[in-house]
């Protein structure tokens, strides 16, 4: 991981917590909705990296294949796979757990359901905006903002609250919940940096 804004931050993925968040939309009446799977890393300095995004209509039987592929692709760094865990989506989580038992899903990755906790989709997205607006989020090449009829994650966040599509933005909002449950470790030496990324002081771990 590296970003132009913070060249002197220690952005190696081994220092952070990498999670996948997912908002499955698979019922027949939701054929216009996207099932979203996003992979991101939180670093101790507060920087966040978006590595991969998937957003399209995915049937239930296909979801477990797509989710397993994502988890296996990132298994070296992935701490947890976190699907929304509400109502019928609970069955998808159980299918992934069965795949893990049969060795088709990485055994080292925790399957952890995320609850909406009675928050509306718009309120979840609104709560995710401060970190984006503060410049803490960085994205991999190819994930640049895309608008139009099929906006990607950054496009949906940019257009919110007026975006017609917001499924990826909703999944994106679950990153902060996931990192609350799987916090980044700060036990090694901490560096105090100025806004330009220069090291001002080194402090012992906490």
């Amino acid at each position: 991981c590296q970003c132009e804004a913070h060249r002197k931050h220690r952005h190696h993925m081994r220092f952070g917590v990498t999670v996948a968040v997912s908002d499955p939309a698979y019922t027949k009446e939701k054929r216009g909705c996207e099932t979203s799977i996003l992979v991101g890393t939180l670093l101790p300095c507060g920087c966040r990296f978006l590595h991969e995004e998937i957003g399209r209509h995915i049937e239930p039987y296909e979801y477990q294949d797509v989710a397993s592929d994502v988890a296996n692709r990132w298994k070296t760094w992935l701490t947890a796979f976190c699907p929304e865990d509400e109502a019928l989506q609970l069955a998808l989580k159980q299918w992934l757990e069965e795949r893990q038992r049969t060795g088709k899903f990485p055994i080292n990755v925790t399957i952890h359901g995320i609850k909406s906790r009675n928050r509306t989709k718009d309120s979840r997205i609104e709560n995710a905006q401060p970190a984006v607006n503060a410049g803490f989020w960085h994205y991999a090449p190819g994930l640049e903002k895309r608008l139009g009829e099929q906006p990607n994650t950054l496009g949906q966040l940019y257009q919110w609250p007026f975006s017609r599509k917001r499924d990826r933005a909703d999944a994106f909002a679950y990153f902060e919940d996931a990192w609350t449950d799987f916090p980044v470790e700060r036990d090694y030496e901490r560096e105090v940096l100025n806004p330009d990324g220069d090291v001002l002081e080194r402090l012992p771990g906490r």
Side-chain angles (χ1 to χ4, degrees):
C1 298
Q2 189 55 271
C3 68
E4 295 298 321
H6 308 111
R7 288 181 175 273
K8 296 184 180 180
H9 285 200
R10 296 193 294 177
H11 280 159
H12 196 285
M13 290 177 70
R14 72 177 183 273
F15 295 138
V17 174
T18 300
V19 298
V21 293
S22 177
D23 182 12
Y26 63 92
T27 56
K28 291 182 178 179
E29 63 269 20
K30 289 189 174 183
R31 294 196 66 86
C33 296
E34 294 181 322
T35 286
S36 304
I37 302 175
L38 311 177
V39 179
T41 298
L42 171 65
L43 278 299
C45 61
C47 286
R48 296 149 167 85
F49 287 83
L50 181 62
H51 303 296
E52 181 177 353
E53 62 174 314
I54 294 173
R56 59 185 174 85
H57 178 75
I58 299 176
E59 296 288 349
Y61 61 84
E62 184 187 5
Y63 178 84
Q64 53 189 325
D65 292 328
V66 176
S68 297
D69 287 345
V70 171
N72 279 296
R73 190 155 52 245
W74 292 95
K75 64 183 178 181
T76 301
W77 308 110
L78 195 62
T79 297
F81 189 97
C82 304
E84 186 179 62
D85 187 9
E86 299 285 350
L88 296 176
Q89 294 163 338
L90 176 61
L92 299 181
K93 177 175 174 285
Q94 293 171 340
W95 291 352
L96 293 181
E97 291 170 341
E98 177 60 28
R99 285 219 157 193
Q100 191 173 53
R101 286 191 288 270
T102 59
K104 297 178 180 178
F105 191 99
I107 192 66
N108 62 300
V109 177
T110 300
I111 301 172
H112 178 73
I114 296 288
K115 300 288 187 182
S116 65
R117 301 200 299 271
N118 295 320
R119 297 168 297 176
T120 66
K121 181 176 292 190
D122 280 332
S123 67
R124 293 195 297 268
I125 297 173
E126 182 179 12
N127 290 337
Q129 290 285 345
V132 177
N133 296 337
F136 286 123
W137 273 98
H138 313 285
Y139 50 85
L143 301 184
E144 294 85 357
K145 180 175 64 182
R146 186 180 71 242
L147 303 176
E149 289 298 314
Q150 297 294 329
N152 64 355
T153 301
L154 292 179
Q156 292 180 17
L157 290 169
Y158 177 78
Q159 293 178 319
W160 183 87
F162 306 107
S163 52
R164 184 172 60 86
K165 287 183 175 290
R166 55 187 67 180
D167 296 305
R168 299 190 204 190
D170 187 28
F172 179 88
Y174 282 124
F175 272 124
E176 300 304 322
D177 289 342
W179 286 321
T180 297
D181 295 335
F182 299 92
V184 66
E185 295 290 338
R186 301 177 184 270
D187 291 336
Y188 56 83
E189 182 183 74
R190 293 178 289 131
E191 296 175 345
V192 178
L193 308 173
N194 68 14
D196 295 324
D198 299 313
V199 178
L200 298 180
E201 183 181 5
R202 286 187 169 86
L203 302 175
R206 57 177 176 170

